[in-house]
Amino acid sequence: MRAVNLLTPELRSAQKGSGAAKPSPMETSGGIGAFALLGALALCVVAVAGYVLAGNTIKDREASLAAVSAKNDATVKHAAELKPYADFETLANDRASTVQALASARFDWEQSLRDLSRALPSDVYLSSLNGDLDGSSSGGASGVRSAISAPAISLVGCTKSQPAVASLMSRLRNIQGVTRVSLSKSEKAVQVAAGAGQVVNPCGKGAPPSFELVVFFEKSTSGAALADATKTVSTGTAAAATPAAKTGEPAATPTPAATKGATP
């Protein structure tokens, strides 16, 4: 049988020459080039997969953000619609608290005046009697009265002598709840001859002393309670007027039917 050489002429000449160049590893089948190509393809696949996953994540989060924003807008709108009712309920609660505060600030004038009438001696005559909680409406003894912010009764009158004035102050000091009796003045009145149609001094002839004194009830908390109640009223009124002042529109007040029977 005859042998046949199936190699190409280039390979035949390469086999014949001892110094001919051999093929590089990159050109040989199964060399490093194949692994490098596969690695590059793998990196490309990973990069594309990462890009796709990142895009999907961003889209999902954008959809969640849109849903939350829509829910938030709906909640804000609903809250704005219910705000007048909440303001009305707050105003009603404030007014109820104010009424309770004013009730607690009540001073028992009836009992105090009854005790005062029992303590006054028969030789004392009053021309003025004024009672107040904090001195804002003090009577003749305004200087002494305004020095102490507490419930007090101011008395102006006359009696027969200076010892009678001292006795009056002692008796007033024994009234229940009285903490201080302050004398503004006690001086003899100038005697004027009584003419036709003039009123004779009820304290007698001569120059009986005229006095001005204040009976204080400092242990009573009515004055402080009244001040707190007044402050609460002022604060509530200012808070109710603030929204209307900012928007330039009158504050909306729900009707009793809309508030299910709420009473301010």
Side-chain angles (χ1 to χ4, degrees):
M1 180 181 292
R2 183 181 177 182
V4 178
N5 191 352
L6 299 178
L7 296 177
T8 59
E10 292 82 3
L11 293 179
R12 293 175 187 175
S13 60
Q15 287 180 350
K16 293 179 180 180
S18 58
K22 297 181 180 180
S24 63
M26 295 295 292
E27 295 176 353
T28 60
S29 176
I32 298 176
F35 290 102
L37 179 61
L38 292 176
L41 292 176
L43 290 177
C44 292
V45 171
V46 171
V48 171
Y51 176 79
V52 173
L53 291 176
N56 292 336
T57 303
I58 292 174
K59 291 181 180 179
D60 292 340
R61 293 184 177 180
E62 287 179 348
S64 300
L65 178 61
V68 172
S69 299
K71 185 177 180 180
N72 180 67
D73 293 340
T75 303
V76 171
K77 183 178 179 181
H78 187 61
E81 293 175 352
L82 297 179
K83 187 176 183 303
Y85 300 93
D87 294 341
F88 186 81
E89 182 180 2
T90 302
L91 180 61
N93 293 334
D94 290 342
R95 289 181 178 178
S97 300
T98 301
V99 171
Q100 294 176 357
L102 291 175
S104 63
R106 179 182 178 273
F107 184 75
D108 194 356
W109 292 108
E110 186 268 339
Q111 182 63 42
S112 299
L113 292 176
R114 181 185 295 125
D115 295 341
L116 178 66
S117 65
R118 293 173 179 173
L120 288 176
S122 58
D123 57 352
V124 173
Y125 299 89
L126 298 180
S127 60
S128 174
L129 185 149
N130 183 67
D132 56 73
L133 292 176
D134 55 1
S136 59
S137 58
S138 57
S142 59
V144 176
R145 175 66 189 95
S146 59
I148 300 176
S149 179
I153 299 176
S154 303
L155 303 176
V156 179
C158 65
T159 188
K160 294 181 178 180
S161 62
Q162 294 291 2
V165 176
S167 176
L168 170 63
M169 294 180 65
S170 178
R171 292 170 66 95
L172 294 177
R173 183 64 180 81
N174 292 328
I175 295 177
Q176 183 179 2
V178 173
T179 58
R180 186 193 308 249
V181 179
S182 300
L183 182 65
S184 178
K185 71 175 183 177
S186 178
E187 56 187 12
K188 290 185 177 182
V190 179
Q191 182 66 23
V192 179
Q198 292 184 349
V199 179
V200 180
N201 193 333
C203 295
K205 299 180 181 180
S210 297
F211 61 83
E212 295 181 4
L213 55 85
V214 185
V215 181
F216 289 98
F217 300 83
E218 296 176 79
K219 292 184 179 180
S220 174
T221 59
S222 300
L226 180 62
D228 293 340
T230 306
K231 183 178 180 181
T232 302
V233 172
S234 302
T235 304
T237 303
T242 300
K246 289 183 178 180
T247 59
E249 299 179 357
T253 303
T255 60
T259 55
K260 299 182 179 179
T263 303

